[in-house]
Amino acid sequence: MTCRRRKVTPRTRYVVGALVAGLLTAPSAACTGDRSATATTDSFTVGLLLPSRVVPRWENSDKPLIEQRVKQLCPHCKITYGNADDDSTAQRQQMIAMITKGVRVLILGATDNRALRSTVQEAHNAGVPVVAYDRLADGPISGYVSFDGVQVGTLQGQALLKAMRTPTEHGTIVMMNGDPTSPNAALYKRGALSVLRDKVRIGRSYDTPGWSSNNANANMSAAISALGPGRIDGVLAANDAMAAGVISALKSAHVRRLPPVTGQDADLDAVQRIVNGEQSMTVYKSFRAEAEAAAAMAVALGRGEKLHTIATTTTDSPTTHHIPSVLLTPAAVTTANIKQTLIKDGVYTIAQICTPQLRAACAKAGLTP
C-alpha cells in the first residue's frame, strides 16, 4: 500500500471545531509503519508547565484538558506538572528539574518569554523539545499553539465601541493592558488600538503585572481619581481577572451606571457578570482545541515524529523562525450568544451560570433550561 502525505498550506486563522479535530486525528498504522503500530507501548514523560493560578483557566481548564488528551494519545505516557505562580525563577527551576528527571518533551506556558530563553536553550541542548503553549517563548521552540492575539484585541475594541453609550468621538476610555512581560499582551493591545485609535480618547493606559485583579483594581482606582467617576465611558480590560478588579473599583467609587468593560478567557464569574449587566463581553478561546493541539504536538515530538501533519502554519519569534504552529480563532461572547458558544461547546451548563441570584437576569437573556 502506498501512502501519500497531503501538503499542508500555511494559514493563520482557523475555525475551532471540525478542522481542529481533523488535524488531531492520528494517522493509520498502515501509513506510518512500525512506530504507529507500537504507539500504545510508548512510555515516556511529558512535562507540563503553566504560568499562574491567578487566572482560573490554567488550573480549571488547560491542565485537565492537556492531561486527558495526552493520555488518550499515549496511554502509557506519564505527565509531570508544575505551576509557576507568576514566578519566572520558580518556572526555570521547575523546567530544569523536569529535564534532569528525564522528561522527553515539555509543554510550556511561559511566565516571561525572555526570562525563560536560556532554559529553553538548555532543554534543546539536552534533546528535550519544547512546545510553547498559549504564549510564544524565546529560544529554540519546537512547536507553538495559541490563538490569534491581534484578533483577540480587535474583538475587544469592536465590542467596546459598540457598547459605549456616548458618541465614540467624544468617549473617554481606560485601557487596562496585560502583563508587559507577555508577548500576548502586546498583540492584544495592538489589535485593540487598531480599532480604537482616533475614535476614542484614551484617558489612561496601564500595564498590569501578573494579569492581576488586584493590580487592575489599584490602577482603575487611580484612573477614577484622575478622570472623575462619571467621565469614563468604557474600559478595555485585557482579561476577565482584570475586568473583575476594574468593576470592583468602579463600584467602590459609587459609579451609578457602570461603563462597558471588556474581558477575555470566559471565566465563569465573568460570564455571570455579563448576564448581570456588569461586564459587556468576554473573548472565548476554545481551551479544549488549544489543549488538544498542544498534546498532539507533545506526543508526536516525544515519539520523534515531525509536526507537519499537526501544524497548520509557522510563526517567527525573536530567536527562532518557522516554528510549526497552530493558531486558532477566538470569538466574542455577549449575552446574545452565550448559549451558542459556551453552552453549546460544553464549557458551562445553564445551571452553572444561572445561580439563584441570577435567575431573573438569565431568563431575560434567554438562558433557561
Side-chain angles (χ1 to χ4, degrees), residues 54-58 60-61 239-244 263-274 279 282-284 287 342 347-348 353:
V54 172
V55 178
R57 60 164 289 190
W58 302 118
N60 296 342
S61 298
N239 78 351
D240 290 334
M242 292 188 293
Q264 178 188 182
D265 290 334
D267 294 344
L268 178 57
D269 58 351
V271 178
Q272 291 170 333
R273 288 194 297 271
I274 291 170
Q279 185 171 324
T282 188
V283 176
Y284 168 48
F287 303 139
L342 303 177
V347 180
Y348 306 118
I353 296 171

Side-chain angles (χ1 to χ4, degrees), residues 56-289:
R57 60 164 289 190
W58 302 118
E59 293 284 323
N60 296 342
S61 298
D62 299 83
K63 177 179 181 287
L65 288 170
I66 290 172
E67 291 175 338
Q68 179 187 59
R69 187 57 177 165
V70 167
K71 282 297 185 181
Q72 288 172 345
L73 295 171
C74 186
H76 298 283
C77 284
K78 297 179 181 178
I79 301 167
T80 183
Y81 176 64
N83 189 304
D85 287 317
D86 293 304
D87 186 333
S88 296
T89 300
Q91 191 166 65
R92 171 178 164 78
Q93 293 169 346
Q94 290 168 350
M95 285 184 69
I96 292 172
M98 289 182 185
I99 295 167
T100 302
K101 291 178 181 178
V103 299
R104 195 178 292 182
V105 60
L106 291 167
I107 299 173
L108 171 64
T111 54
D112 184 327
N113 61 310
R114 295 184 182 89
L116 274 295
R117 179 188 297 182
S118 62
T119 316
V120 172
Q121 183 65 56
E122 289 181 41
H124 178 76
N125 294 343
V128 179
V130 177
V131 176
Y133 185 69
D134 198 71
R135 297 137 175 224
L136 183 58
D138 288 359
I141 294 296
S142 297
Y144 173 48
V145 179
S146 189
F147 285 78
D148 184 335
V150 173
Q151 180 64 12
V152 169
T154 299
L155 291 173
Q156 291 173 330
Q158 290 171 340
L160 186 63
L161 287 181
K162 185 176 180 179
M164 286 173 63
R165 295 185 297 270
T166 60
T168 56
E169 61 266 30
H170 301 299
T172 297
I173 71 163
V174 173
M175 291 192 70
M176 204 65 62
N177 308 305
D179 192 317
T181 66
S182 169
N184 282 358
L187 296 175
Y188 303 153
K189 184 176 180 180
R190 187 200 312 169
L193 287 174
S194 73
V195 176
L196 298 172
R197 191 178 285 113
D198 300 327
K199 293 180 181 170
V200 296
R201 172 178 172 260
I202 300 174
R204 289 291 187 275
S205 181
Y206 302 94
D207 292 333
T208 313
W211 306 84
S212 162
S213 178
N214 290 337
N215 289 337
N217 182 278
N219 288 339
M220 193 65 206
S221 296
I224 293 168
S225 296
L227 301 173
R231 299 183 63 188
I232 297 172
D233 301 300
V235 182
L236 193 294
N239 78 351
D240 290 334
M242 292 188 293
V246 164
I247 292 167
S248 176
L250 290 165
K251 288 181 176 180
S252 295
H254 305 291
V255 174
R256 288 187 176 183
R257 294 184 64 188
L258 294 178
V261 179
T262 67
Q264 178 188 182
D265 290 334
D267 294 344
L268 178 57
D269 58 351
V271 178
Q272 291 170 333
R273 288 194 297 271
I274 291 170
V275 171
N276 205 33
E278 296 178 337
Q279 185 171 324
S280 59
M281 63 85 70
T282 188
V283 176
Y284 168 48
K285 303 180 299 186
S286 174
F287 303 139
R288 180 174 297 278

